[in-house]
Every structure is written in structure tokens, then in C-alpha cells.
């Protein structure tokens, strides 16, 4: 184990960092150093050359460490953190029974605390960027922005622009009202160093055609994204077929809403034609493998997305904030859902999932020109990973081993915009333990207030139910056997 200390890294910089290796887009590179200044990578290259060019800086040696890009969470719901543990064992479309009621029970304090708690978990797991798909709390969306800033994480912040009722007709906000709110939101965070505005629609059926078209245009003009849950659940696909005669992704294409500005969340149920539509329009996808396992209908065909050149990132959907476990889930889900049946023993060869958890994810959420890689001119959003641990020390193929054997315990330091934000699991400059304690009380009160409907009992209740059924079946069998013995006599 190495002896790296926090005092070497905690400060405004500039820093000349000399790790054992740097994870570049082309792979791990030894003999490489980086210079961090004013929140960005000023220089990346051969250690001797970098040291000569920056002789005024004392090198900070990082023995036993890999310097790698921070993970990008391409799909999250920061305000839903209080209910993360309510998703276990639930059937699909859980948002109707759990998330919408829970968010509706949050006030400003609980929404802020939930969002900051989510940011804390994300930073601990190596995420330097989270993409929030909007919330329905009713509080000002800047509450979530403030939580992200205070935690020190980069955030793509969605504003929900829904304006349609259950039958697809307008209800509540008008299309013009939704457009006005969207324009103000996009302008509000212009130039913000950590918060990047995005628009969102819950699902295609939640917005009128006018709003879907207008949000697409506004986002494209602003260089922002529109986040929409698309083709996630079978029920949603069937409703779209009944209403429009088209699947949700096909409907978005027909009205002109697809394009590089669109981030289609989940996209688990894709036909060959829809894959072509994604490829032809440059639309991006958030592949959320853990969400598929916990509460979905299917697994997005991510290896096919990669082969077709379709842009995509990896998202947690608020399930758990560990970037390494997310990459492992991304590979594992492809192996189980597609690889075993076809004899594909590689399923992305490890590097695919690192690529789409970092640089590909940044591109998918609209930040490809700002973050996602260790490269000159990009934001210094990076991790220092201890590669002397038992899981990683005997390395033959580091990218694949990071995917299969990495975990957040190996992350010593997390930097966002060149500043140390997390040191060995603890946040810098604020009290994470106090936040967790506060969140416990607020979460209990919020869940008790919310009209949540769960289809599955707790694990203890499920076990008791199963035990009772087993006892009842045993009694019936004993009774039947007794009757049989009596008849024989």
C-alpha cells in the first residue's frame, strides 16, 4: 500500500502530478505526467518533457496510483435518493407508484438534502459528473443545483417540461408556458462552472407534440440536451402503439425530436429499425444496466449500440453510486442477455465500458468538449486509484481488471474542476456524516407522508410469508398422508 497524503493535493494548485500510469483514451500510459491549473489539464505527456516545460513546479509523485478520468453518470434522479431502497423487488413502471409520490412529499430542505446525499454517494463512487433527469418536487430546481455545487460535483441539471395529461392532451402548463420555463432554465446556468442546464420530458406521452418539438429546438440551439425516458417499459411501448400507431422512439422521429441533442434514457426495447434511427440521427442513449436488473423489462443492446456507432453513456438511475460496479454491471448484463446465447465471450473487451463510463458518457450528456478524458484543455475531473490493492496489483490487462475487479474502496482521491473533492471516501470542506444523519430523519418523514404503493414487501416480510406458506403446505401434506394411512388401515 502507498503512503500518499492529502496535504500534497488539497489546494488550488497548480499541480504537476506524476502517477505510475495515466488512463488515456488509447489506454494506460506509463511515464506520463499531467499539469493541472485553473481547473483544467494544462499539459499531458511524457514525464521528462512535462517536467522540463514546467520546471517551476515541484512534482507530486503518486507511487502505486493510476490517474484516470472521473466517471460520468449519464442518468440519475438526485431528488429520489430517499427512496432508493424502495425499488427492490418491484415490477416495472415503479415511477408511478414510488417516485412521483415520494418527490411530491419533499419540501425545500428535504429536496436539498436528498440531492446532496446523492452527490456524496456519487463522489464516493468516483463519479465527477451526474446527469439529473429532472424532478417533480415542486421546489425550485436551483435547490438541486445548490446541492450539487455545495458537494463539489459537476451536474447536468434537467428541468421537466411535461405539459400533457394521461390522454396526451394538454393539462397544467401550456406549451408556451413550458417553452418559457425552458428558455429561462437554459439561460440561468449559462457560464456556471459546475452546473450545466438540460431540458427533460418524463416520457414522450407526458408532453404534447408542440412541446416535444420546441424543447428539441431550444436544446439544439443552446447546445444542451433533452432527456427523455424512451422505450423503457413494455407498457409504455404498448400505450404509444395504441395512441400513435408508433413505438415511442418512432414517434419522436416522426415529429422531428430525435437528434444529437436528445439523450434517450434506458432504451431497453429497441427494434432493428429503431437502432437505425438512433444511428442515422446521432441520438444518444443512457444505458442503465443496474436499473434494468432492479426494475426494468429488458437490457439495452449496448454491444450493438457500440458496433453501430450509436452514442451512449452509462447511468445509475440512482440505484447505487459506484462507478466501477456500474462498468462491471454494464459488461455483465450484456454477457447474460446477449453474449451467452451467441457465444460472445468478450462482450466489449472491458475497454468499451470504461470508454462509455467516461469519455463516451460525457459526449452523450453534452459535455464531450468539457470533460470525460485526461487531455489538454479539458476540465481536470479525475480519480487517483490505488493499484497496489490485492484486486489490482497482479495486473495483466488493467482496463478489463478495473471493470471486473475495481471498486470504490480503491479510489483514494476524487478531483472535480481541479479541486480535491473527496479523500478516501470523505468529502473535503464539509461534514458528510452530519449530512447522512440529517438525511435519515428527513427521509423517514418524507416516506411516511408520501402515498407510496409497493407491490413487494420487505425482505423480512417476504421471508415470513414464504415460511408461513411452507408451513401451511407441510401441514396439508401431513394431513393428506395421515388420511392415506387411515384409508390403508
Amino acid at each position: 500500500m502507498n503512503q500518499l497524503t492529502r496535504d500534497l493535493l488539497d489546494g488550488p494548485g497548480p499541480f504537476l502530478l506524476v502517477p505510475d500510469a495515466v488512463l488515456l483514451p488509447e489506454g494506460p500510459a506509463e511515464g506520463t505526467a499531467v499539469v493541472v491549473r485553473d481547473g483544467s489539464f494544462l499539459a499531458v505527456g511524457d514525464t521528462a518533457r512535462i517536467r522540463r516545460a514546467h520546471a517551476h513546479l515541484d512534482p507530486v509523485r503518486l507511487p502505486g496510483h493510476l490517474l484516470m478520468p472521473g466517471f460520468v453518470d449519464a442518468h440519475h434522479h438526485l431528488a429520489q435518493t430517499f427512496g432508493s431502497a424502495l425499488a427492490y423487488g418491484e415490477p416495472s413502471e415503479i415511477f408511478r407508484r414510488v417516485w412521483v409520490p415520494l418527490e411530491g412529499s419533499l419540501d425545500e430542505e428535504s429536496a436539498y438534502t436528498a440531492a446532496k446525499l446523492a452527490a456524496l454517494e456519487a463522489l464516493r463512487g468516483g463519479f465527477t459528473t451526474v446527469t439529473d433527469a429532472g424532478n417533480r418536487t415542486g421546489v425550485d430546481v436551483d435547490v438541486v443545483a445548490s446541492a450539487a455545487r455545495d458537494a463539489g460535483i459537476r451536474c447536468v441539471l434537467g428541468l421537466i417540461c411535461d405539459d400533457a395529461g394521461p390522454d396526451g392532451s394538454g393539462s397544467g402548463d401550456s406549451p408556451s408556458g413550458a417553452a418559457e420555463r425552458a428558455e429561462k432554465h437554459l439561460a440561468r446556468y449559462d457560464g456556471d462552472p459546475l452546473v450545466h442546464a438540460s431540458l427533460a420530458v418524463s416520457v414522450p406521452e407526458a408532453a404534447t407534440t408542440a412541446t416535444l418539438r420546441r424543447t428539441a429546438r431550444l436544446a439544439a440551439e443552446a447546445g444542451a440536451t433533452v432527456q427523455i425516458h424512451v422505450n423503457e417499459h413494455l407498457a409504455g411501448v404498448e400505450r404509444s402503439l395504441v395512441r400513435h400507431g408508433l413505438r415511442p422512439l418512432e414517434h419522436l422521429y416522426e415529429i422531428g425530436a430525435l437528434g444529437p441533442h436528445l439523450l434517450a434514457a434506458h432504451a431497453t426495447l429497441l427494434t432493428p429499425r429503431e437502432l437505425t434511427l438512433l444511428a442515422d440521427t446521432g441520438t444518444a442513449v443512457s444505458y442503465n444496466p443496474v436499473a434494468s436488473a432492479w426494475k426494468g423489462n429488458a437490457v439495452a443492446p449496448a454491444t450493438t449500440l457500440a458496433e453501430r456507432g450509436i452514442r451512449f453513456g452509462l447511468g445509475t438511475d440512482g440505484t447505487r453510486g459506484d462507478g466501477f460496479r456500474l462498468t462491471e454491471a454494464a459488461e455483465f448484463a450484456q454477457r447474460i442477455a446477449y453474449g451467452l446465447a451467441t457465444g460472445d465471450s468478450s462482450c466489449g473487451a472491458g475497454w468499451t465500458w470504461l470508454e462509455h463510463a467516461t469519455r463516451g458518457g460525457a459526449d452523450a450528456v453534452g459535455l464531450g468538449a468539457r470533460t470525460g478524458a485526461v487531455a489538454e484543455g479539458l476540465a481536470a475531473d479525475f480519480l487517483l486509484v490505488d493499484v497496489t490493492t490485492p484486486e489490482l496489483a497482479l495486473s495483466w490487462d488493467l482496463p478489463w481488471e478495473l471493470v471486473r475487479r475495481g471498486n470504490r474502496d480503491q479510489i483514494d482521491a476524487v478531483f472535480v474542476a481541479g479541486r480535491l473533492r473527496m479523500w478516501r471516501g470523505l468529502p473535503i470542506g464539509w461534514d458528510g456524516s452530519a449530512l447522512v444523519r440529517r438525511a435519515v430523519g428527513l427521509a423517514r418523514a418524507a416516506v411516511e407522508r408520501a402515498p407510496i404503493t409497493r407491490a413487494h414487501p420487505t425482505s423480512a416480510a417476504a421471508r415470513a410469508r414464504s415460511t408461513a406458506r411452507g408451513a401451511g403446505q407441510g401441514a396439508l401434506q401431513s394431513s393428506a398422508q395421515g388420511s392415506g394411512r387411515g384409508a390403508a388401515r
Side-chain angles (χ1 to χ4, degrees), residues 86-180:
L86 297 175
Y88 308 149
E90 291 295 302
S92 65
E93 292 206 323
I94 188 176
F95 69 93
R96 297 179 183 276
R97 304 183 310 277
V98 176
W99 304 132
V100 172
L102 175 62
E103 286 183 321
S105 75
L106 301 182
D107 58 16
E108 187 170 305
E109 181 187 10
S110 54
Y112 173 89
T113 304
K116 193 172 183 181
L117 182 68
L120 171 61
E121 183 180 358
L123 284 167
R124 279 169 43 82
F127 290 101
T128 52
T129 298
V130 289
T131 307
D132 181 75
N135 70 81
R136 289 150 294 207
T137 62
V139 304
D140 190 333
V141 72
D142 197 55
V143 169
V144 175
S146 296
R149 282 195 213 95
D150 293 347
I153 199 166
R154 193 176 300 281
C155 179
V156 177
L157 182 64
L159 174 75
I160 292 181
C161 301
D162 298 356
D163 71 332
D167 62 351
S169 62
S171 66
D173 202 359
S174 66
S176 60
E180 182 180 357

Side-chain angles (χ1 to χ4, degrees), residues 1-17:
M1 304 297 176
N2 58 74
Q3 299 301 314
L4 182 64
T5 58
R6 168 183 160 180
D7 61 287
L8 295 173
L9 303 167
D10 190 4
F15 296 108
L16 195 169
L17 304 178

Side-chain angles (χ1 to χ4, degrees), residues 12-16 35-38 42 56-58:
F15 296 108
L16 195 169
V35 175
V36 175
R37 189 179 73 184
D38 297 331
L42 177 66
H56 61 291
L57 296 177
D58 292 328

Side-chain angles (χ1 to χ4, degrees), residues 396-433:
W396 300 102
D397 184 342
L398 184 58
W400 215 339
E401 284 153 10
L402 290 171
V403 169
R404 285 196 168 176
R405 293 171 64 80
N407 64 74
R408 67 182 174 200
D409 293 342
Q410 296 149 352
I411 301 171
D412 273 346
V414 179
F415 286 76
V416 180
R419 297 298 299 265
L420 182 65
R421 310 290 183 167
M422 187 73 54
W423 174 253
R424 292 179 175 164
L426 297 175
I428 302 299
W430 55 282
D431 191 339
S433 297

Side-chain angles (χ1 to χ4, degrees), residues 352-395:
T352 299
W353 313 115
L354 281 179
E355 165 74 14
H356 288 279
T358 54
R359 186 171 59 161
D363 171 64
V365 305
L367 297 183
R370 187 181 296 262
T371 189
V374 180
E376 293 179 8
L378 293 187
D381 300 344
F382 65 95
L383 316 176
L384 296 180
V385 179
D386 184 350
V387 291
T388 68
T389 63
E391 295 83 5
L392 298 176
L394 304 179
S395 176

Side-chain angles (χ1 to χ4, degrees), residues 11-25:
F15 296 108
L16 195 169
L17 304 178
V18 186
D20 278 2
V22 178
L23 186 63
L24 300 175

Side-chain angles (χ1 to χ4, degrees), residues 293-340:
W294 285 14
K295 50 192 172 66
N297 289 128
V299 174
T303 48
T304 301
L305 299 180
E307 181 64 25
R308 295 288 301 272
I310 295 168
R311 302 163 55 229
F312 72 94
L314 308 186
T316 65
D317 198 20
T319 50
R320 62 185 180 218
D322 188 321
F324 285 121
R325 291 192 71 187
L326 179 63
T327 61
E328 190 271 342
E331 185 212 10
F332 187 76
Q334 294 302 296
R335 183 103 169 97
I336 296 298
Y338 304 104
L340 291 179

